[in-house]
Amino acid sequence: MNQHLSAAADAVPIGTSNVPDDVVRLVELKRRFGQTAALDGVSLTVRKGEILGIIGRSGAGKSTLIRCLNGLERPDSGQVFIEGREISRLGERELQPLRRRIGMIFQHFNLLSAKTVEDNVALPLKIEGRPRAERLAPAAELLKLVGLSEKAKAYPASLSGGQKQRVGIARALAARPALLLSDEATSALDPETTRSILALLKDINRQLGLTILLITHEMEVIRSIADRVAIIDAGRIVEEGPVWSVFADPKSAITRSLLGGIRPQLPAEISSRLTRTEGGEAILRIDVAGEAARGPLLSDLAEAVPGLFRLVHGGIDHVQQQPVGTLFLAVPGSDANHLARVIAFLKAREARVEVLGHVANSV
Ligand SMILES: Nc1ncnc2c1ncn2[C@@H]1O[C@H](COP(=O)(O)OP(=O)(O)OP(=O)(O)O)[C@@H](O)[C@H]1O
Ligand SMILES: [Mg+2]
């Protein structure tokens, strides 16, 4: 694949001293629609070469944010810098060359059905005014990059969803953008196709050093390819950081809720029986990450604190090669001293421990 990538490798201005390290910088961006603050003071940077994921519920402000980035929407206040240049007050004509620095891929692919695959991919070059003879070679190169060379002469209607998105990616790269914006690009695809498209994006990011900003409502997408994540809610960034650390220690309720689907949760048959009445068994939730999750935590616990405990649910996951674990333990609650020692041991090992409640009998 390397060989095919090399022609496209200058898609990103590598090593140019006048280009700042932040491809995008948003400063206190605000945009209202009537009573709705779609963006309520968003400050955020996208660093060169990274994959930043922005996740939020429906109506959180994701699309408005993207539209401010490519100049389709004007913020009421605040600033948008693309490669160091402030764009939010530029006119249409000045925006055109800057828009070419941003490639976009969409949920519904947005291919032109009357054009062949190669002509779709070459479209940004046509817009640049390049003659047909100079468009087809780069288009062929990009189709190789996304693994679709044999479909050059096909029409979009004959392609699967995953193939259409590959064409969308090739087209987005044609103008050699500094930034690839992905707005729910895998939301219309099945899980296996989603994985292959995400793997392709990661590959392009690694091999070309292309900066990617992806908008999604699925934590699984963030987990598979993003380096950093920002959580947006009601027009504000409520939390941001490296993906593994946000997974390990989500600070806001909205982040915890977005993580709910892919992090272990206490099974309903246990949570429905939780009470505040002590006795029976105490149910503990233990969150560990990094070094704490690498060691033999449970066997050390058994050795250090003689007495019973049972693992009722949970496991250790790996996010960005970092172990991130959530374990649910049942500890006999009749001996308050034993329970306190278990908790003290785990806390000393830098685990976060929460007593969720008690259940009357064995679960
Ligand atoms: N052109 C508009 N006119 C009026 N209200 C708008 C407009 N665009 C966005 N909004 C409102 O601003 C808020 C943020 O909308 P936005 O489309 O940015 O959300 P989103 O995070 O992209 O949601 P989704 O995941 O459903 O696409 C919503 O309350 C929406 O109704
Ligand atoms: Mg949207």
Side-chain angles (χ1 to χ4, degrees), residues 146-169:
V146 300
L148 272 186
S149 296
E150 78 281 9
K151 297 286 185 189
K153 307 287 180 202
Y155 284 87
S158 68
L159 304 182
S160 71
Q163 289 170 334
K164 283 180 191 159
Q165 196 55 289
R166 284 171 190 270
V167 177
I169 292 170

Side-chain angles (χ1 to χ4, degrees), residues 335-347:
D335 179 355
N337 194 31
H338 174 58
L339 181 60
R341 289 184 66 203
V342 168
I343 293 172
F345 175 87
L346 292 168
K347 285 189 171 168

Side-chain angles (χ1 to χ4, degrees), residues 98-143:
L98 287 166
R99 281 212 185 103
R100 267 184 240 129
R101 303 295 295 153
I102 302 177
M104 265 202 87
I105 51 173
F106 308 89
Q107 180 171 4
H108 297 297
F109 324 121
N110 299 16
L111 302 179
L112 297 179
S113 56
K115 288 192 178 293
T116 60
V117 161
E118 66 182 358
D119 283 343
N120 266 281
V121 173
L123 193 64
L125 303 174
K126 187 176 184 183
I127 293 168
E128 274 179 18
R130 287 218 234 164
R132 187 170 168 82
E134 286 179 29
R135 299 198 297 261
L136 292 182
E141 195 74 28
L142 287 160
L143 283 172

Side-chain angles (χ1 to χ4, degrees), residues 31-34 36-39 56-65 67 73 183-184 215-217 232:
R31 179 71 168 104
R32 295 190 75 86
F33 296 103
T36 310
L39 298 177
R57 291 178 182 145
S58 183
K62 305 182 292 296
S63 294
T64 309
L65 183 70
R67 292 167 61 80
E73 191 85 68
D183 190 2
E184 300 282 4
I215 302 280
T216 181
H217 63 275
I232 185 168

